[in-house]
Structure formats: C-alpha cells, structure tokens
Amino acid sequence: MGKRARRQRDPEELRAARAARVAAQPAGPARTSRLDNTRLGQRAAGRPKAPWHPIPVSEIAIAGGLLLFILGFAQGGTDQGGTWLGAGTLLATAGVIELCAREHFTGYRSHVLLLAFLPVVAMHTTIALWIDDDFRGPQSVLVDAAVFGVLALLLLDRYRKAAKRRQGTTS
C-alpha cells in the first residue's frame, strides 16, 4: 500500500479550469456592500438624521475625545494627563452613545449590547468609587449581570418595535 503519486498540473491548466468553473456558475445578484443603505430593501430611508442635522456634532465629539485622549496619553502619568484622558474618554463616549441611541431607537440598527453595557459600567463605577468600597466579587458581578439582562431585554423590545414601525413606513 504505497502512496499514490500526485499528478502535477500545469499552471495554465489550473487557470483554464478555474475560468471554466467561474463561467459555469449562474449569474446571481451582485453582492452588496455592508455599507449600502438599500440592501434587501432595508434601511431604504437611510441613516436617521440628528436634530442638528447639517452639523456633525457626534462626529466632532468623537474626534475631539480622541484628540484629548491622545493628549492625555502623551502627558503620561501626570495629574493633568489623567484629566485629559478622562475628559477625552467621556467626550468620545458621549458622541458614540448619541449616535448609537439615535440609530437604535429609530429602528435603523440594533445596538442592544452597547446601550445595555454602558449604564451598567456607569452604575458599577459610581457604586464602587463613591458609595461602597467593598462592591466587588461575585455579588457585584451578579448585580451587574442582572441589570445588564433587564436593560438588554427592554432595549431589544424597543428596537424590534421601532424596526417594525420603520419597515411599515418604508415599504
């Protein structure tokens, strides 16, 4: 029982075989980009506009937060560096939350996990830093998981209702 000898195929022969396979495939609909707003009839109305529409406030907040974060990172372990880091993080987070909330609550795109996670982080941080120094361990994880689960279920329900309403207006 020896090994079978593999026949070496000519590169030209391989290219011709591949071209024949491609030509034999039925021509289906062209693949659409993930960024295409009209994919499968969904999102036909496009991304929801902000109340301050011509001015990109969310994008400016995210870019400004990134710049402040980089400035704070460049200053190292100084007190002022920590202040810039915190300010940059908060500013960028505010821009992201606004954009995600607008998309989520209009039924454009679901951001359930992010929108449920951020309040849990804020709650946990507030309790751990200012209310109870011993808020850690399994009990804190259980509280965080319970709050996250309830928020996620409520946000998912809200998104489904908004998406159904949106589909009704665009169809």
Side-chain angles (χ1 to χ4, degrees), residues 7 16 25 32 42 45 49 67 109-110 115 134-136 168:
R7 182 179 146 224
Q25 290 178 346
T32 58
Q42 296 173 342
K49 302 225 182 304
L67 288 174
R109 186 170 288 148
S110 176
L115 292 174
D134 294 327
F135 188 68
R136 58 180 91 127

Side-chain angles (χ1 to χ4, degrees), residues 29 38-39 57 59 61 66 73 75-76 95-97 108 113 117 152 156:
T38 59
R39 179 182 64 199
V57 174
E59 290 80 359
L66 181 63
F73 190 76
Q75 289 187 356
V96 168
I97 289 172
Y108 177 71
L113 297 178
F117 180 70
L156 183 61

Side-chain angles (χ1 to χ4, degrees), residues 22-105:
V22 169
Q25 290 178 346
R31 235 179 131 178
T32 58
S33 167
R34 288 194 62 178
L35 301 176
D36 184 14
N37 283 341
T38 59
R39 179 182 64 199
L40 301 175
Q42 296 173 342
R43 303 183 185 112
R47 178 172 270 123
K49 302 225 182 304
W52 46 81
H53 165 56
I55 304 167
V57 174
S58 300
E59 290 80 359
I60 291 170
I62 293 169
L66 181 63
L67 288 174
L68 289 175
F69 187 86
I70 291 170
L71 178 66
F73 190 76
Q75 289 187 356
T78 64
D79 285 342
Q80 191 174 9
T83 303
W84 290 117
L85 277 171
T89 301
L90 288 175
L91 186 60
T93 302
V96 168
I97 289 172
E98 189 281 323
L99 183 66
C100 290
R102 183 171 12 114
E103 288 183 352
H104 182 84
F105 291 116

Side-chain angles (χ1 to χ4, degrees), residues 12-33:
E12 281 299 316
E13 188 180 338
L14 289 172
R15 268 185 281 234
R18 185 174 191 290
R21 274 194 318 270
V22 169
Q25 290 178 346
R31 235 179 131 178
T32 58
S33 167

Side-chain angles (χ1 to χ4, degrees), residues 107-145:
Y108 177 71
R109 186 170 288 148
S110 176
H111 296 286
V112 170
L113 297 178
L114 180 67
L115 292 174
F117 180 70
L118 290 173
V120 171
V121 169
M123 176 199 70
H124 186 98
T125 303
T126 303
I127 292 172
L129 291 180
W130 290 304
I131 297 174
D132 185 13
D133 290 337
D134 294 327
F135 188 68
R136 58 180 91 127
Q139 75 272 13
S140 67
V141 172
L142 288 174
V143 169
D144 292 344

